[in-house]
């Protein structure tokens, strides 16, 4: 059964693209390729009826949402591309891939939620079409690296005449969790600064409030966006694609920035290279630190007793001038452990010191016993979940430790942000990471009374509701706001209409608190679509409820860039050149974000971020640019030029 019109019934045309998936990412990716890049797409989904159907309700909902998305795109200005062809199959087998046209396809995206399904299909597809561009969704990053090498090697052996340069993009393994985690974690960073990591590049995007009277806003390296004109208006637009002229303007020109009085901006402040991330939970140094074994109160008690014993030894030496210091210390220790002879008939000072030493020995016994019990307790509970400390405040409450929550937790701890996790499933994927990082965790249903209180929500800085249930996230956010009205809240919501209603309602009810709604599939789909087009997408950052992409692009073959100056190549609302790769073409790394650094500098080697506006882009150059989704599609020749990217003041970038 197919819900969409069939461009060529039963026979896919050469050069088309195939998307295989069973969740929201497959829907968003198909819509991205169809409406933005104007590609012919075949969507393969699980069967909704008949024998072998695994989840008919989920598949039917996916196709229904896909139909609604296509209808919205058709009604939007500029229309959309051809409707996707759909196939339904209970199992993604080699025969199903052949029926979908994998032998003639240009690219295949395997975005099932199950890693094993994607791996099996990728191996079969590579045998059927060695020249096929593969984009695979895998949660296991280490396995993904090995799989890329294996499939590229298989392509080279199966097609000896294949251009080696094509192998750079023949297989790409991505994780929607890794793509979306930086943006989700950034919403919890204190203040208006947010750090976004795009592979090895660290981009610090800063939301600046409108400057006061007589002040000039700092543009940073460049202005990435203008925030909605109604950002501070509870009844205003919600900052999505449907916000019209009141919504955020991506990549504005200088005239538009100057004319946008009273509007906040998002600027690119710094760019650095983060290097290889350390393994989560790995100890910074060798050995076990004392602080992890003993409590602070016990450490102070031990320090006080040691100081008292030293003082008694010095006093014993001073009161017996003829005695050697070591002998005086020895006598003090004997008195401490009650094994010395009574000081009968000796000077009064000696008798008083012996009594004080005996008293210190009595105090030492319970302290030593407490130290033993605490040490044993620490080793015994090293695999147990910590409870939130009594005086904890200013932390982030993270709801849900599934795939997304686990990645967000790792990012937050990399930024040294205190976190308290809440998870209902005792076998959740992220609990082992929480144990290794010793992150306080509350096991329980967040909708039940007392669970959020156990996470110290009344003293928290932010709430990240990242469970897979929209209603659970909303219920938790509403209750948390009732406890702390000014709490910063970010919700993971799928349905766009529902997210819009939630966003506006929460902002109207709490106008002085920050509210954000985020969709993992919306953040991840542009990166997957760019990989299918053979382009290296470094990352995506959200601007309110829209997405801005960072991509690496060779200048050759792009008339919008080649032979133009950096200033001339800029098109407001579409793209802006940010950096130039100065390395020779033969010395460039396939992964631009993996460039090493120069000595002590934290800037990536070969990348120049402060390019002179008069520099003329040559065919041999490679650039890093910020682009809207439509702008990147136009650069790739997939979208005709229209009024959305004209010149002058009309170029507001609101067609993204």
């Amino acid at each position: 059964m197919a819900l969409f019109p069939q461009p060529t019934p039963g026979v896919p045309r050469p050069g088309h693209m195939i998307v295989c998936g069973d969740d929201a990412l497959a829907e968003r990716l198909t819509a991205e390729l169809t409406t933005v890049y104007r590609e012919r797409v075949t969507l393969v989904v699980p069967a909704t009826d008949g024998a072998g159907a695994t989840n008919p309700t989920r598949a039917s909902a996916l196709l229904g949402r896909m139909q609604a998305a296509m209808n919205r795109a058709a009604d939007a200005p500029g229309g959309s591309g051809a409707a996707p062809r759909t196939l339904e199959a209970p199992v993604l087998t080699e025969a199903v891939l052949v029926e979908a046209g994998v032998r003639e396809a240009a690219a295949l995206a395997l975005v099932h939620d199950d890693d094993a399904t994607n791996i099996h299909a990728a191996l079969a597809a590579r045998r059927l079409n060695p020249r096929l561009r593969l984009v695979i969704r895998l949660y296991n990053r280490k396995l993904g690296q090995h799989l890329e090498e294996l499939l590229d090697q298989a392509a080279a052996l199966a097609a000896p005449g294949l251009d080696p340069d094509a192998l750079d993009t023949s297989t790409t393994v991505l994780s929607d969790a890794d793509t979306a985690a930086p943006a989700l974690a950034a919403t919890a960073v204190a203040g208006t600064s947010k750090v976004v990591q795009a592979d090895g590049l660290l981009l610090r995007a800063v939301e600046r409030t409108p400057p006061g009277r007589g002040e000039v806003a700092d543009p940073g390296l460049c202005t990435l966006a203008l925030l909605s004109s109604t950002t501070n208006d509870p009844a205003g637009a919600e900052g999505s694609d449907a916000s019209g002229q009141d919504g955020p303007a991506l990549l504005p020109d200088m005239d538009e920035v100057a004319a946008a009085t009273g509007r906040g901006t998002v600027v690119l402040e710094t760019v650095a290279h983060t290097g290889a991330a350390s393994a989560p939970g790995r100890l910074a140094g060798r050995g076990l630190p004392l602080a992890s074994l003993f409590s602070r109160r016990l450490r102070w008690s031990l320090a006080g007793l040691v100081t008292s014993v030293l003082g008694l030894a010095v006093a014993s030496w001073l009161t017996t001038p003829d005695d050697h210091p070591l002998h005086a210390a020895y006598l003090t220790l004997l008195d401490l452990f009650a094994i010395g002879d009574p000081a009968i008939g000796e000077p009064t000072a000696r008798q008083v010191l012996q009594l004080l030493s005996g008293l210190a020995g009595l105090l030492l016994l319970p302290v030593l016993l407490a130290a033993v019990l605490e040490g044993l307790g620490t080793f015994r509970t090293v695999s147990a979940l910590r409870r939130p400390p009594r005086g904890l405040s200013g932390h982030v409450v993270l709801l849900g430790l599934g795939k997304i929550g686990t990645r967000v937790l790792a990012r937050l701890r990399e930024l040294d942000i205190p976190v308290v996790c809440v998870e209902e499933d005792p076998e959740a994927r992220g609990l082992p990471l929480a144990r290794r990082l010793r992150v306080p965790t509350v096991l329980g249903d967040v909708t039940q009374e007392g669970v959020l209180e156990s996470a110290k929500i009344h003293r928290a800085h932010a709430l990240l509701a990242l469970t897979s249930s929209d209603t659970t996230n909303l219920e938790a956010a509403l209750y948390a706001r009732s406890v702390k009205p000014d709490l910063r809240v970010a919700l993971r919501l799928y349905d766009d209409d529902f997210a819009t209603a939630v966003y506006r309602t929460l902002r109207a009810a709490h106008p002085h608190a920050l509210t954000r709604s985020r969709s993992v599939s919306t953040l991840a789909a542009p990166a997957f679509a760019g990989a299918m087009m053979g382009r290296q997408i470094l990352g995506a950052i959200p601007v309110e409820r829209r997405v801005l992409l960072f991509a690496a692009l060779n200048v050759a073959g792009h008339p919008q860039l080649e032979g133009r100056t950096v200033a001339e190549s800029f098109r407001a609302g579409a793209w802006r050149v940010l950096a130039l790769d100065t390395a020779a073409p033969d010395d460039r790394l396939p992964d631009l974000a993996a460039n090493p650094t120069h000595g002590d500098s934290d800037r990536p080697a070969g990348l120049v971020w402060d390019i002179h506006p008069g520099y003329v882009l040559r065919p041999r150059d490679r650039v890093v640019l910020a682009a809207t989704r439509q702008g990147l599609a136009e650069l790739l020749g997939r979208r005709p030029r229209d009024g959305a990217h004209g010149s002058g003041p009309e170029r507001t970038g609101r067609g993204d």
Side-chain angles (χ1 to χ4, degrees):
M1 179 183 67
L3 296 181
F4 307 117
Q6 305 298 312
T8 307
V11 181
R13 287 179 285 178
H16 73 294
M17 295 186 174
I18 304 173
V19 177
C20 302
D22 58 355
D23 62 3
L25 180 58
E27 172 208 339
R28 296 294 174 98
L29 178 56
T30 301
E32 189 87 3
L33 293 171
T34 304
T35 62
V36 178
Y37 291 94
R38 305 297 183 93
E39 289 291 334
R40 302 186 304 272
V41 181
T42 297
L43 175 63
V44 181
V45 298
T48 58
D49 53 13
T54 56
N55 195 340
T57 302
R58 185 178 184 182
S60 299
L62 172 64
L63 291 174
R65 292 195 302 264
M66 189 69 233
Q67 179 69 71
M70 292 301 301
N71 292 338
R72 288 195 300 267
D75 295 337
S80 64
R85 170 177 176 258
T86 61
L87 292 176
E88 298 179 11
V91 182
L92 186 60
T93 62
E94 186 171 324
V96 173
L97 292 175
V98 172
E99 184 181 358
V102 73
R103 287 193 174 100
E104 303 83 16
L108 167 66
L110 299 167
V111 294
H112 282 270
D113 194 43
D114 179 47
D115 285 2
T117 300
N118 294 332
I119 293 174
H120 292 162
L123 295 173
R126 180 57 79 216
R127 290 196 304 270
L128 295 171
N129 187 353
R131 299 176 181 271
L132 180 70
R133 184 179 298 118
L134 282 173
V135 178
I136 309 169
R137 173 189 184 182
L138 284 185
Y139 182 79
N140 190 325
R141 291 174 289 185
K142 185 175 295 185
L143 176 61
Q145 295 175 357
H146 296 312
L147 185 63
E148 280 188 0
E149 298 173 359
L150 174 64
L151 292 175
D152 285 346
Q153 184 178 5
L157 293 176
L162 187 65
D163 184 5
D165 294 337
L167 292 178
D168 292 343
T169 55
S170 63
T171 304
T172 304
V173 176
L174 297 174
S175 167
D176 57 332
D178 286 333
T179 304
L184 293 170
T187 60
V189 177
T192 57
S193 299
K194 56 183 179 179
V195 177
V196 179
Q197 287 186 334
D199 291 336
L201 296 180
L202 185 132
L203 312 173
R204 186 181 299 275
V206 181
E207 293 185 11
R208 300 194 185 279
T209 57
R213 183 174 300 178
E215 298 178 352
V216 178
D218 182 6
L221 293 177
C222 68
T223 300
L224 297 177
L226 292 172
L227 299 178
S228 298
S229 59
T230 57
T231 299
N232 299 319
D233 181 4
E238 72 281 355
S240 67
D241 291 342
S243 300
Q245 297 295 319
D246 293 329
L250 304 184
L251 302 175
D253 56 23
M254 295 181 61
D255 293 338
E256 187 175 3
V257 173
T261 57
R263 297 178 64 173
T265 59
V266 178
V267 302
L268 184 63
E269 189 176 65
T270 58
V271 180
H273 192 277
T274 61
S278 59
R282 184 174 299 174
L283 292 176
R286 297 187 178 183
L288 292 175
L290 188 65
S292 65
L293 289 176
F294 307 118
S295 66
R296 182 179 180 183
R297 183 179 301 176
L298 182 60
R299 295 198 305 271
W300 276 108
S301 299
L302 286 171
L305 282 174
V306 171
T307 303
S308 300
V309 172
L310 290 176
L312 290 171
V314 172
S316 178
W317 172 56
L318 293 177
T319 55
T320 54
D322 297 334
D323 199 4
H324 192 276
L326 292 179
H327 185 263
Y330 176 68
L331 290 178
T332 302
L333 291 177
L334 290 178
D335 296 334
L336 182 71
F337 297 116
I339 57 178
D341 294 331
I344 299 175
E346 296 190 19
T348 304
R350 166 65 183 145
Q351 294 176 345
V352 172
L353 290 176
Q354 187 177 58
L355 291 175
L356 293 177
S357 299
L359 178 61
L362 293 176
L363 297 176
L364 179 62
L365 182 60
V367 172
L368 290 178
L369 180 60
V372 172
L373 293 178
E374 281 200 8
L376 292 176
T378 299
F379 286 112
R380 187 182 301 113
T381 60
V382 69
S383 61
L385 294 170
R386 292 185 60 199
R387 301 291 298 175
R390 182 176 301 176
L392 182 65
S393 63
H395 58 288
V396 174
V397 176
L398 174 62
L399 308 184
L401 285 176
K403 288 184 176 181
I404 304 301
T406 302
R407 290 288 194 252
V408 172
L409 172 61
R411 287 301 176 101
L412 290 174
R413 295 307 300 132
E414 288 174 4
L415 297 173
D416 292 327
I417 297 175
V419 185
V420 173
C421 300
V422 179
E423 174 57 53
E424 181 180 8
D425 183 7
E427 302 296 328
R429 180 188 297 267
L431 288 180
L433 177 64
R435 291 190 183 98
R436 291 199 304 271
L437 297 179
R438 304 201 69 196
V439 175
T441 304
V442 178
L443 288 178
D445 185 356
V446 71
T447 61
Q448 297 297 320
E449 186 176 356
V451 174
L452 281 178
E453 284 83 353
S454 299
K456 315 296 182 185
I457 192 66
H458 58 287
R459 291 201 296 264
H461 166 73
L463 171 70
L464 295 181
L466 304 182
T467 72
S468 57
S469 171
D470 285 5
T471 55
T472 299
N473 293 335
L474 176 59
E475 184 175 353
L478 292 175
Y479 180 76
R481 278 281 171 83
S482 68
V483 175
K484 187 177 181 181
D486 61 342
L487 182 70
R488 177 190 295 255
V489 171
L491 300 91
R492 175 189 177 187
L493 299 175
Y494 167 74
D495 185 81
D496 191 65
D497 294 335
F498 182 58
T500 299
V502 169
Y503 179 83
R504 299 189 67 173
T505 303
L506 285 177
R507 191 172 63 174
H510 305 278
H512 301 295
L514 180 66
T515 302
R516 292 287 183 264
S517 62
R518 294 286 182 259
S519 168
V520 173
S521 56
T522 299
L523 293 172
F528 279 77
M532 293 189 73
M533 304 304 300
R535 292 297 179 265
Q536 183 189 359
I537 305 298
L538 301 178
I541 65 171
V543 179
E544 297 185 47
R545 299 187 59 229
R546 299 174 67 183
V547 178
L548 188 64
L549 303 176
F550 291 87
L553 200 67
N554 292 320
V555 173
H558 295 89
Q560 304 95 328
L561 304 176
E562 188 175 344
R564 297 173 180 261
T565 65
V566 172
E568 293 172 344
S569 67
F570 168 58
R571 182 172 297 173
W575 60 77
R576 175 195 288 272
V577 174
L578 300 178
L580 176 69
D581 187 1
T582 59
D586 295 339
D587 298 333
R588 293 172 182 166
L589 297 177
D591 185 1
L592 187 60
N595 274 313
T597 58
H598 279 309
D600 297 332
S601 173
D602 60 354
R603 292 293 183 93
L607 292 180
V608 178
W609 293 87
D610 48 352
I611 317 174
H612 191 278
Y615 176 82
V616 179
L617 298 175
R618 300 167 297 177
R620 61 179 293 178
D621 290 336
R622 180 167 60 165
V623 295
V624 175
L625 50 83
T628 63
R629 293 154 53 225
Q630 266 79 2
L632 183 60
E634 183 177 339
L635 279 174
L636 300 181
R638 303 292 176 172
R639 186 176 179 86
R641 294 182 61 177
D642 52 32
H645 301 308
S647 59
E650 295 179 357
R651 297 177 296 161
T652 61
R654 295 184 179 91
D656 184 35

